[in-house]
Amino acid sequence: MKSKTNQLTLIYIIIAVFLAIVFHKLSIKFYYLADYPFYNFSKDLVLVFFTGISFRYILSTNDNRNEVIFEKLKKTNDEIKESNEKYDIVAKATSDTIWDWEIQEDKLFWSKGIKSIFGYEEHQVGDSSKWWFDKIHPEDSIKMSIKLYSFIEQKTENWQDEYRFKCADNSYKYVLDKGFLLKDENGKAIRMIGAIQDITKQKEEELRLKLLETVIIETKDSIIITESNFNDRKLPKIVYVNPAFSAMTGYSSFEIIGKSPDLLRGVKSDKTNNKKNNICFNK
């Protein structure tokens, strides 16, 4: 860059000197300034060289500033390249769908998990938040968007939510979405990066267990659940009884949990009858 600055300065001085000489000759020829003092011409040459030095200083200062800017840009590009490489590695290593949202421009980028998990081809995936929100189940969309934008306004860093996300075949999957907010030097939210995890199996199991719990609670039959460890001397401790058991026996759950089912056997209990009802009390 210094070599180029010197070249430009030299070209400037040569052109300026040439123009000064031409102006001097024309002044003598056309305006008959025969008495045009030579020292005035010398002053013009000094001015040319002075402006040339000033021009070089300006170019040199500008080059130094550009060099600093260039180094910063190069460092930033290297960091972005390294970050993108790490992003690609993480995207390949995880089964989650990673998304990257440039908030101000409303540009949204998705990892390849959007295809492997939800079945969308590249041309089917939108590049704005609207496409994302349109794929959220109608019953979850408003709640999720309110929580998300509230989170962005509060400018906290970590966010997560559960909702149903539409697949390419129009079915829905339960997902756990976690996001991290990036802010500029003024604290303004500019970017958000997150990962969507498919939790459909866990949710279905939760719903199945909740349904089973409802059946146990609502049934009129007495149900006792005990520990799984048996020994030869006594029955395992009770860990749960349903409301029907309390209604039938008069024992509340607080009175019976932690105790042995032996408590329910009276002195006149018929062991034969117990066996018929698949109840065995060991001594």
Side-chain angles (χ1 to χ4, degrees):
M1 286 188 180
K2 289 184 178 180
S3 177
K4 187 175 181 180
T5 299
N6 292 333
Q7 290 176 3
L8 290 173
T9 304
L10 182 60
I11 292 171
Y12 168 80
I13 292 175
I14 292 173
I15 293 174
V17 169
F18 174 76
L19 292 176
I21 293 172
V22 170
F23 177 75
H24 178 68
K25 295 293 185 182
L26 292 175
S27 298
I28 294 174
K29 182 175 181 180
F30 293 101
Y31 295 97
Y32 305 102
L33 300 176
D35 58 344
Y36 185 78
F38 181 75
Y39 77 88
N40 285 341
F41 176 65
S42 300
K43 286 166 56 178
D44 292 340
L45 292 179
V46 172
L47 181 62
V48 167
F49 281 104
F50 178 75
T51 55
I53 293 172
S54 300
F55 180 64
R56 185 187 184 284
Y57 174 76
I58 294 172
L59 288 177
S60 178
T61 303
N62 188 59
D63 285 344
N64 291 335
R65 185 170 63 251
N66 289 340
E67 188 173 347
V68 171
I69 294 174
F70 176 79
E71 289 298 326
K72 287 183 178 179
L73 288 175
K74 184 176 182 299
K75 183 179 179 181
T76 301
N77 287 334
D78 290 341
E79 290 175 351
I80 291 174
K81 182 180 178 181
E82 182 181 359
S83 177
N84 288 337
E85 289 175 350
K86 290 180 179 179
Y87 174 87
D88 290 338
I89 292 173
V90 171
K92 291 177 181 178
T94 182
S95 59
D96 296 348
T97 301
I98 299 175
W99 49 268
D100 188 346
W101 183 20
E102 295 179 1
I103 299 174
Q104 302 303 317
E105 296 80 12
D106 194 24
K107 293 291 184 180
L108 193 60
F109 305 92
W110 297 87
S111 71
K112 294 181 180 179
I114 197 68
K115 177 180 179 181
S116 59
I117 298 177
F118 301 105
Y120 289 104
E121 299 294 337
E122 186 175 349
H123 68 276
Q124 296 177 302
V125 181
D127 60 355
S128 71
S129 59
K130 183 180 184 304
W131 184 87
W132 177 20
F133 295 144
D134 285 346
K135 295 297 178 286
I136 299 174
H137 195 284
E139 293 179 3
D140 302 333
S141 180
I142 296 178
K143 179 191 70 173
M144 180 271 186
S145 58
I146 290 175
K147 289 177 65 175
L148 177 61
Y149 280 106
S150 175
F151 158 78
I152 293 175
E153 288 300 319
Q154 292 172 0
K155 297 176 182 177
T156 52
E157 292 185 343
N158 297 303
W159 162 85
Q160 74 175 40
D161 198 6
E162 292 182 9
Y163 55 86
R164 286 164 286 181
F165 192 82
K166 191 175 184 179
C167 300
D169 61 2
N170 292 324
S171 64
Y172 283 92
K173 287 188 175 182
Y174 286 94
V175 300
L176 172 62
D177 201 348
K178 296 181 179 180
F180 182 82
L181 192 64
L182 300 177
K183 296 168 283 188
D184 61 14
E185 60 275 8
N186 298 319
K188 185 177 182 180
I190 58 173
R191 188 178 176 191
M192 192 171 178
I193 300 173
I196 297 178
Q197 180 183 2
D198 180 10
I199 59 169
T200 304
K201 290 184 178 180
Q202 296 95 305
K203 272 292 181 182
E204 289 176 346
E205 181 64 18
E206 287 178 13
L207 292 173
R208 189 185 70 82
L209 291 175
K210 190 171 291 187
L211 178 61
L212 181 60
E213 180 185 7
T214 301
V215 172
I216 291 175
I217 292 175
E218 297 299 328
T219 184
K220 300 301 181 183
D221 295 329
S222 175
I223 296 177
I224 301 176
I225 300 177
T226 68
E227 294 175 337
S228 59
N229 55 317
F230 282 81
N231 57 57
D232 294 335
R233 307 192 65 179
K234 60 188 304 184
L235 294 175
K237 294 179 179 179
I238 297 171
V239 296
Y240 174 82
V241 293
N242 69 338
F245 170 86
S246 297
M248 185 179 297
T249 64
Y251 287 104
S252 68
S253 59
F254 298 104
E255 293 176 306
I256 200 68
I257 289 177
K259 305 291 178 56
S260 169
D262 285 323
L263 179 69
L264 303 174
R265 187 179 65 178
V267 292
K268 297 182 179 180
S269 295
D270 187 348
K271 294 183 179 180
T272 303
N273 189 47
N274 289 338
K275 289 181 180 180
K276 289 180 181 179
N277 289 281
N278 296 321
I279 301 175
C280 179
F281 297 101
N282 297 319
K283 294 181 180 180

